[in-house]
Structures are given as C-alpha cells and as structure tokens.
C-alpha cells in the first residue's frame, strides 16, 4: 500500500511538473481591448491604416503621413508577444503591429475614449477585431 501511495504521489508530481512546463509566460502586452477597441497603456485609441498590408512587416504611412499619424513605438526593451509584433519602418524606427497591421495614434485624441481619427479619409480605422481584417492596395495613398 505504501508503494502504491508513493508511486501515485510521484506520478502526480511528474504530471503537474510536465503541465507547468507546457505553459507560456509572456511579458506585458503593449495594448489592450477596452469596450471592443484597442488602446495603448494610457487608454488612448489605436488605429490601423487600410493601405497597410497585413503581415507585410511594413508601414506605408511614411513622410508627411507619419507626422500626421504617429506610430505606436515600442521601448528598446519591448519584445513581441502573441498578436503583437515589432516591425521596422522605412526610416529605421520600430513600430508595434497587431495581427500584422501597424498601429498608430491620432494627435487629436487626448483623452481615453476619444476616437476623432476613426474613418479619417475613409482609410483610418480604430482597431477592432474587424478593422484588422481590412487590407487594400497600397498604391494611391491619400491620407
């Protein structure tokens, strides 16, 4: 009986030890969903640009566009995690992306809940589960 109890106890320790090894510990994510909209750590609304091609690892919002629509920039120590990746922009700066789409802010959004950039020029969208699925040709680029 003692051997069976000891063997059972050892088996439980082994199983739980293996299960613990299967879990993934990830660092903090750069943004979270709030009322169905992705927001940064300050609660400010994040946007995607329809002309950015999901999964391309590129932002097509450069030059004047990048001045008007600041990218969500990771800290030097930030690491990609889950649906969040870090891409390198044409100017060499880093930018967060979510499900393959680069993330941006709109300067007129000053308070949590502001969404003044939504549907700007019909190509800028607040980040929702639906908005990241959009992907259009990046050729003609009014912003």
């Amino acid at each position: 009986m003692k051997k069976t109890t000891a063997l059972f106890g050892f088996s439980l320790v082994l199983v739980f030890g293996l299960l613990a090894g299967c879990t993934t510990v990830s660092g903090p994510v750069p943004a979270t969903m709030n009322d169905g909209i992705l927001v940064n750590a300050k609660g400010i609304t994040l946007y995607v640009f329809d002309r950015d091609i999901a999964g391309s690892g590129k932002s097509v919002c450069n030059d004047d566009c990048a001045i008007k629509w600041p990218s969500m920039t990771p800290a030097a120590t930030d690491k990609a995690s889950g649906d969040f990746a870090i891409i390198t922009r044409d100017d060499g700066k880093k930018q967060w992306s979510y499900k393959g789409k680069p993330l941006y802010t709109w300067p007129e959004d000053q308070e949590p809940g502001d969404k003044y950039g939504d549907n700007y020029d019909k190509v800028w969208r607040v980040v929702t589960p639906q908005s990241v699925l959009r992907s259009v040709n990046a050729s003609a680029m009014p912003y």
Side-chain angles (χ1 to χ4, degrees), residues 69-82:
W69 289 89
S71 62
M72 184 178 172
T73 307
T77 57
D78 286 344
K79 302 284 184 222
S81 176

Side-chain angles (χ1 to χ4, degrees), residues 49 51 60-69 106 120-124 140-143:
F49 184 37
R51 293 195 173 93
V60 297
C61 177
N62 295 297
D63 305 318
D64 194 41
C65 178
I67 293 167
K68 292 178 182 176
W69 289 89
W106 178 239
Y120 186 84
D121 278 345
K122 299 185 177 161
V123 293
W124 291 95
M141 190 176 95
Y143 43 84

Side-chain angles (χ1 to χ4, degrees), residues 27-71:
V29 293
T32 57
M33 284 287 178
N34 185 12
D35 292 329
I37 295 173
L38 197 68
V39 298
N40 66 15
K42 296 179 181 177
I44 302 298
T45 302
L46 295 172
Y47 296 86
V48 289
F49 184 37
D50 284 348
R51 293 195 173 93
D52 283 334
I53 306 300
S56 69
K58 287 285 197 185
S59 166
V60 297
C61 177
N62 295 297
D63 305 318
D64 194 41
C65 178
I67 293 167
K68 292 178 182 176
W69 289 89
S71 62

Side-chain angles (χ1 to χ4, degrees), residues 2-127:
K2 286 184 180 182
K3 279 187 176 181
T4 305
T5 304
L7 184 58
F8 180 72
F10 175 75
S11 297
L12 283 176
V13 169
L14 182 61
V15 167
F16 285 116
L18 289 173
L19 288 175
C22 292
T23 61
T24 302
V25 178
S26 61
V29 293
T32 57
M33 284 287 178
N34 185 12
D35 292 329
I37 295 173
L38 197 68
V39 298
N40 66 15
K42 296 179 181 177
I44 302 298
T45 302
L46 295 172
Y47 296 86
V48 289
F49 184 37
D50 284 348
R51 293 195 173 93
D52 283 334
I53 306 300
S56 69
K58 287 285 197 185
S59 166
V60 297
C61 177
N62 295 297
D63 305 318
D64 194 41
C65 178
I67 293 167
K68 292 178 182 176
W69 289 89
S71 62
M72 184 178 172
T73 307
T77 57
D78 286 344
K79 302 284 184 222
S81 176
D83 289 330
F84 295 94
I86 298 172
I87 64 170
T88 302
R89 300 179 47 77
D90 287 352
D91 61 7
K93 295 178 182 174
K94 302 293 183 186
Q95 180 176 7
W96 279 112
S97 68
Y98 176 69
K99 293 188 177 184
K101 295 281 279 190
L103 295 173
Y104 305 87
T105 58
W106 178 239
E108 292 181 25
D109 291 349
Q110 297 294 310
E111 301 290 328
D114 287 353
K115 298 180 279 191
Y116 298 117
D118 193 26
N119 205 31
Y120 186 84
D121 278 345
K122 299 185 177 161
V123 293
W124 291 95
R125 315 270 176 229
V126 296
V127 181

